[in-house]
Every structure is written in structure tokens, then in C-alpha cells.
Amino acid sequence: MADKDSLLKQRVRKVFENSKFDFVTREVIFSFSEDKEDDYEIDVCAIYDNIMLIMECKSGNFRNSKKEFKRIRDNIEKIKEGSITKIRNKSTPLLTKATLKQVDQVYFGFVLGDEKVFRNQTKNFKKNNILLWNDAALKYFERVSEVLGNLTKNELLYREFHVKQEEVGYDPVKAIAFKQGGHRIFMFTLEPSRLLKIGYVSRRGSERDEGYQRIINSNRLASIAKFIKKSKNLMMPNPVILAFDPDVSKKAHYEDGLLKIPDKYCSAWIIDGQHRILAFKDVDLEQKKFRSSRFKIPVVAFENSPVEEQSETFVNINYYQKKIESLLIYDLAASFKYSRNELVWPSMLAVKLNEGGALKGLIKISELETGKPLRITTFVHPILYELLGFNENTDDYDGPLYKIREFDRYGKADSHKNVAAFKVHSDILESYFTEIVSKILESGLTWKQTAKDRGFFNASTINALLLVLASILWKEKKQTIAFDNLLKPLSKINFNVGEYGKLSRGYGAVNGITKLLLSEINAVAGTDYEYILISKRRKQLANAKAKTPKNK
């Protein structure tokens, strides 16, 4: 049990450290007199400015809570009064009396690692107004603190421990007020720095009925932050949706088009738009482009919205909202002048395939087109992730097509470098599909009819053919490849029947067709091409690089 308690302490300590508190340590014993029975041992403590947070960690039973709560409250009063005679540290860094001199506010909470004990004690802790976490709440803050760093500190202080905030100002903003569904709603704009201050995403860990705790996606945050930093004329017109806390709603005042709300930490729950707001945490808002334009984000805020309705709004936004047709997105992306959005380059390549060569006029690019057997959506994903190797974790490219000729994603599409790279990429794709057509074309039939009859227009077949190309390029690493010899097996393959027919639908169809086709190519051409998931290939390359001795 002691080992489990120790693990809980380590985990809680890490949350406080990630949250950038001024001082964090664990296992400290306070003495208030010569009598050791009066000693008070705390599991984890964190100090920020004049505030100390104490967290007790119990992995097993928790009994006689009334007596325990009184003992802790009495000891906290002694700490605030400066009645400590001696401090003994079992861990580093060492907590000293000098560190405690500034502390005049002390708050405490508990982590109960046993779920059954947690459930049995929840009402008791709530009645005594004491913070209580279970293992799930601790895991949540472990993950959030890793991503948000010091922003988590605000949520811990003001949402979890309910630290009292000093009287704050009321900076008025121009706003429009209207009623909808029986609620008063405000529309206005706010600076990112202010949204970072007043907004919060978590709900109190011990009160599950208060709402839904969302995990922050670090990759998405990094991607949005990179977009913000790279944009010369930043535009983020979609509004974020907030719900003011009840105490803020009571103090808010709207008159003559001006809304006055308390400038208070963690006072508005972010119903929608958390990643757009939080992405600014690592952005230098003192940059000229933000100061000169006084960049602000559109906001829609609910006043006095019950928690249940806030959660219902979250569901409505994220479930019932119809996603834009991918066809439209790719069609628009292909017209962009810059390639910074990852969809632009693969969309341009798919459009190019439709403009000439073997697939001319066969790919549906826009929503208005009809009667075309293929769709741009079938091409973009495998080109982006397998051929170009777009890595969402690094927001960069490492695929075989990209390595043959790199392009400048932040440069104009018509720059010399990008025009040259695009020609190389499109030439490889066109020569590949031209050779495919020549292998399956039957006398007396059009290519379109042959392809349809033999399953070449199946989405899984097109996906697999692009994965086969990626496997070839990983091995060959060059622009000019003799596809004529490699693709001979296609002259006899019908993707609608036999082993291929069994793989034409269902989970794993694309990977299955890819591997089966590569085995036939290897048997005829004497090659050893192999399809490996790009994530696995990255690991193999990283391991190989790590084993390579460095030149001294």
C-alpha cells in the first residue's frame, strides 16, 4: 500500500511541476511543538506567490473523515499563523520557513486511488466542500498539464481549489445582445490574451454531473499555433462559444452596446473553440502584427446557462453540425496560391491527373460534376499521407515522393522551386497511371468500360495502387522508373473476383490488395518491394539512425 501511496504522490507532484508552480515538493513534516503527536505530515505541496496547495494521497481505505478534516483544518490555521517550530523534509527541494514566509492562503484536497472508496466518500467530501480527485481526475490533469503547462495552474487554483481572487476590473467591450431559446446571448470580440485568462476547459474532477472533461490534442494545438505564427494577415473569423459562470453573469452589465464583465481567471467555460484559444499560449502576442492590428477573436457567450444546457450545446455543435463535403474542400484547396495547408499539394496533383493523361476527365473534382467514376477524395488521402508522407505530429513531410523532389510549403505555388517540384511529382503519377491503363486495356472495349468491369475504379483499388507506388518509390528513390516491366501482372488481374474480390470491401481491403499486388509484382519482376505502414517505417528509420555511430 505504501508503494501505491508513493506512486500517487509522484503523479500529483508531476502535475504541479508541469503547471509551473513556484515551488513543489512532497513528504514534508511540520512540527508545532515538542510533542511529536502534534506533527503534521503532508504528502504533496505546491506554492504559487502567497498561496499553498496541499494534496493528500490515499490508495486504500479512508476512515473517520470528520476527525481527519478537523485535524487538517487546525494544522492549516497553524501554518497561516506561522506557528511552525520545525520543518523536516523527506524529499527535495527542501521546504524552509523562509519559503513559507510569503504564504497566507492554504488550501487542501485529496486523491483517493481506490475507486470504490472514492465513490463511498464523494458525498462526504462534497458536503465538507473539499476537493476530491479519483484516479481518472488525476489522469486528466496529468495529460492536460503536459500539454498546457502553466495554463493548468490557473485551472487548479481557481477551478479545483477555488482560490479566492482579488477584486478585478471591468473592461467594457462593444457587444450585441439578443435572446434565443430563452437565454440572453452576447456577441463581441476579445484579445487572445484575455480569452486565455478567462477561459477554462475542465470541470471539477469530483463533480461528474458538472460536465464533460475534454482532452487537449497537442498535435492540433501545435498545428494551429504554427498557422498563427506563419500567417502574415491572420484571419480566424469563426466565433468561439463561451458560457459565463453564474457569479460572472450576476456581475455582468450590458448597456448602450457595451458589455462589462469581470476580468477574472477561469470564469467562462469554453464550449467550442478550445484549441483555437489555447493555441495562442505559445504565441508572442507582443509581435507587431498582433499589436498593430489589435487582433481579436469573435466570441458568442451565454449568460446564466445551466450546466446541463451548456453540455447539450456542446453535443449539438459537435454532433449535429454537418461536416462540409470533402469534395468541396479539396476543390478549393487546389486553387490556393500557397501550399502551407497540407491539402493543397495533393489536391493540385489529383486535379492535374484529371486534366491530362490516362485519367483525363474521369475524376470528379467539383460538386457540380456528374457521371465520373472516380472522386478526388479517393486520391488526396493516400497521396498526402503515403506518397508525400505528411506527419501530423511534426507538421512536416518525409514521404518518398516528397524526398525525390521537395517543395516549399510556405512559398507560392507558382514559385520556381514549387513549379519544378510539381512537375516531377505529377510526371511520376501520370506515367504510373498511363502504364496501368496500357496493361488492362482490352481490344474492342474502351478503357473506361474495361476499368469498370475489372474493378479498377473501386476506391480501395485506387488507394491500393497509390500505396503500391509509394512502396516502389521507397525502394527506387528516383524519378524515372520502368513501370512497364513492373506492372505486367495487371494485365491479368480482375479486382472484382478471386482473392482480390474477397478484399474489395471491408476493413483492411486496401492493405490486403496492396500486399497481394506487390507479391505478384515481385514474382514477375524479381523485386522485393514491401508495403510498410508509414508510422512503422518512421520508427525503423529512427532506430537505424540512432544505431549509426556519430562521426567524431
Side-chain angles (χ1 to χ4, degrees):
M1 196 64 70
D3 288 343
K4 289 183 179 180
D5 284 351
S6 180
L7 180 59
L8 279 180
K9 294 172 192 177
Q10 291 174 24
R11 292 170 62 194
V12 172
R13 175 176 177 164
K14 189 64 178 176
V15 168
F16 287 135
E17 287 175 343
N18 289 342
S19 305
K20 308 300 179 187
F21 278 78
D22 298 336
F23 179 90
V24 182
T25 193
R26 68 188 183 103
E27 297 175 327
V28 179
I29 301 172
F30 294 134
S31 295
F32 303 107
S33 67
E34 295 297 325
D35 189 351
K36 286 191 175 183
E37 288 188 4
D38 291 338
D39 286 356
Y40 173 40
E41 181 171 350
I42 61 176
D43 291 337
V44 183
C45 78
I47 296 174
Y48 171 68
D49 198 16
N50 63 324
I51 302 162
M52 174 188 272
L53 305 182
I54 295 171
M55 208 67 164
E56 300 294 335
C57 306
K58 309 291 181 186
S59 59
N61 289 331
F62 181 79
R63 296 188 182 127
N64 204 350
S65 57
K66 187 176 181 180
K67 184 178 179 180
E68 179 72 2
F69 294 157
K70 185 181 185 307
R71 182 183 70 85
I72 292 173
R73 286 193 172 106
D74 289 345
N75 287 329
I76 283 175
E77 287 304 312
K78 292 176 184 178
I79 293 171
K80 290 194 287 187
E81 291 167 1
S83 302
I84 299 170
T85 59
K86 187 178 180 181
I87 300 176
R88 282 172 288 158
N89 292 270
K90 293 184 179 180
S91 180
T92 56
L94 303 179
L95 179 62
T96 64
K97 289 185 180 180
T99 309
L100 287 175
K101 268 188 177 180
Q102 66 193 33
V103 173
D104 57 18
Q105 294 186 59
V106 183
Y107 299 82
F108 74 96
F110 276 77
V111 180
L112 298 182
D114 187 297
E115 186 63 22
K116 185 177 179 180
V117 175
F118 167 80
R119 288 196 299 268
N120 290 338
Q121 290 290 338
T122 298
K123 287 183 180 179
N124 188 28
F125 274 77
K126 192 171 184 178
K127 182 176 71 175
N128 284 275
N129 198 30
I130 296 171
L131 171 66
L132 175 63
W133 285 357
N134 63 350
D135 188 66
L138 178 55
K139 281 180 181 175
Y140 174 78
F141 280 103
E142 282 177 311
R143 293 180 65 179
V144 169
S145 65
E146 286 177 1
V147 178
L148 296 186
N150 68 330
L151 286 182
T152 313
K153 178 172 60 190
N154 295 336
E155 297 207 13
L156 290 171
L157 289 168
Y158 305 115
R159 297 302 309 171
E160 296 298 300
F161 286 90
H162 294 291
V163 170
K164 293 179 181 178
Q165 299 187 49
E166 295 179 4
E167 197 61 36
V168 292
Y170 293 77
D171 190 13
V173 295
K174 291 180 180 180
I176 297 172
F178 62 96
K179 282 196 172 183
Q180 194 177 86
H183 297 287
R184 189 154 75 147
I185 302 172
F186 300 105
M187 293 180 67
F188 52 92
T189 60
L190 275 185
E191 297 86 351
S193 57
R194 196 168 175 193
L195 283 169
L196 284 171
K197 180 178 181 178
I198 70 170
Y200 66 93
V201 296
S202 70
R203 290 297 194 181
R204 189 173 178 183
S206 60
E207 297 178 1
R208 296 178 181 180
D209 58 330
E210 277 204 4
Y212 167 57
Q213 292 182 334
R214 290 167 287 166
I215 293 298
I216 310 300
N217 186 316
S218 58
N219 294 335
R220 190 173 174 195
L221 273 190
S223 180
I224 296 174
K226 193 167 186 176
F227 163 75
I228 292 168
K229 293 172 184 177
K230 292 285 184 180
S231 297
K232 292 182 180 178
N233 298 299
L234 181 61
M235 287 183 64
M236 299 180 78
N238 286 354
V240 299
I241 301 177
L242 308 178
F244 291 134
D245 284 351
D247 61 327
V248 172
S249 293
K250 288 177 184 176
K251 295 178 181 179
H253 179 69
Y254 180 76
E255 187 177 4
D256 297 330
L258 286 178
L259 175 65
K260 293 182 179 180
I261 52 173
D263 194 26
K264 192 177 178 185
Y265 283 104
C266 299
S267 56
W269 186 45
I270 306 171
I271 296 177
D272 188 58
Q274 59 177 0
H275 288 95
R276 275 172 283 156
I277 295 174
L278 298 174
F280 280 93
K281 74 181 180 68
D282 294 322
V283 175
D284 181 9
L285 295 172
E286 292 302 312
Q287 288 181 61
K288 185 179 178 181
K289 69 177 180 179
F290 295 118
R291 285 190 290 106
S292 60
S293 65
R294 296 198 66 193
F295 181 79
K296 296 181 180 181
I297 295 175
V299 178
V300 171
F302 288 84
E303 180 188 54
N304 287 326
S305 174
V307 170
E308 296 81 7
E309 292 190 13
Q310 293 175 25
S311 298
E312 185 179 352
T313 302
F314 175 84
V315 171
N316 290 341
I317 289 170
N318 290 280
Y319 181 76
Y320 293 111
Q321 181 173 266
K322 180 172 169 53
K323 189 177 179 182
I324 295 173
E325 169 63 50
S326 299
L327 204 68
L328 174 59
I329 292 175
Y330 299 152
D331 185 19
L332 287 172
S335 66
F336 290 177
K337 292 181 179 179
Y338 291 86
S339 305
R340 54 179 169 252
N341 184 294
E342 65 269 19
L343 296 177
V344 173
W345 200 265
S347 298
M348 288 169 56
L349 287 171
V351 168
K352 180 65 175 174
L353 282 171
N354 187 58
E355 290 175 349
L359 301 183
K360 182 178 180 180
L362 296 176
I363 304 174
K364 182 176 180 178
I365 303 296
S366 79
E367 293 180 298
L368 299 175
E369 296 174 333
T370 58
K372 294 190 174 184
L374 300 171
R375 292 167 60 91
I376 189 174
T377 52
T378 308
F379 291 84
V380 170
H381 192 277
I383 291 175
L384 175 62
Y385 291 104
E386 296 289 344
L387 286 161
L388 296 175
F390 179 68
N391 188 335
E392 292 179 341
N393 293 326
T394 62
D395 196 37
D396 211 343
Y397 297 87
D398 58 4
L401 189 62
Y402 180 77
K403 287 185 174 183
I404 289 173
R405 192 64 174 262
E406 296 183 6
F407 60 88
D408 178 9
R409 68 180 299 190
Y410 296 107
K412 286 188 174 182
D414 60 358
S415 68
H416 178 75
K417 179 177 181 178
N418 284 346
V419 168
F422 186 77
K423 187 175 188 315
V424 170
H425 293 177
S426 60
D427 283 352
I428 291 173
L429 283 164
E430 286 190 4
S431 64
Y432 179 66
F433 278 102
T434 297
E435 201 56 52
I436 289 172
V437 171
S438 71
K439 290 290 179 287
I440 66 170
L441 195 58
E442 297 178 12
S443 59
L445 291 175
T446 64
W447 141 244
K448 189 174 179 180
Q449 185 58 49
T450 305
K452 183 179 179 182
D453 291 345
R454 293 171 60 184
F456 278 83
F457 287 157
N458 297 340
S460 54
T461 303
I462 294 295
N463 285 177
L465 288 170
L466 289 166
L467 266 56
V468 166
L469 176 60
S471 303
I472 293 171
L473 294 181
W474 275 114
K475 187 77 174 179
E476 301 297 339
K477 301 177 183 178
K478 59 185 180 181
Q479 179 180 351
T480 306
I481 299 170
F483 290 124
D484 178 30
N485 185 49
L486 295 178
L487 300 178
K488 284 181 179 178
L490 288 175
S491 61
K492 299 178 181 179
I493 292 175
N494 186 329
F495 290 100
N496 289 328
V497 299
E499 291 300 312
Y500 288 100
K502 294 176 184 178
L503 294 166
S504 64
R505 280 173 178 63
Y507 181 78
V510 175
N511 286 2
I513 294 171
T514 302
K515 292 175 181 178
L516 194 54
L517 184 52
L518 282 173
S519 68
E520 294 204 44
I521 290 173
N522 289 335
V524 171
T527 50
D528 58 351
Y529 301 130
E530 181 184 10
Y531 173 66
I532 302 172
L533 283 170
I534 195 162
S535 57
K536 186 177 179 181
R537 195 181 288 274
R538 287 188 183 115
K539 288 181 182 178
Q540 290 177 349
L541 292 171
N543 291 337
K545 186 177 180 180
K547 291 177 182 178
T548 304
K550 295 180 180 179
N551 295 325
K552 294 184 179 179

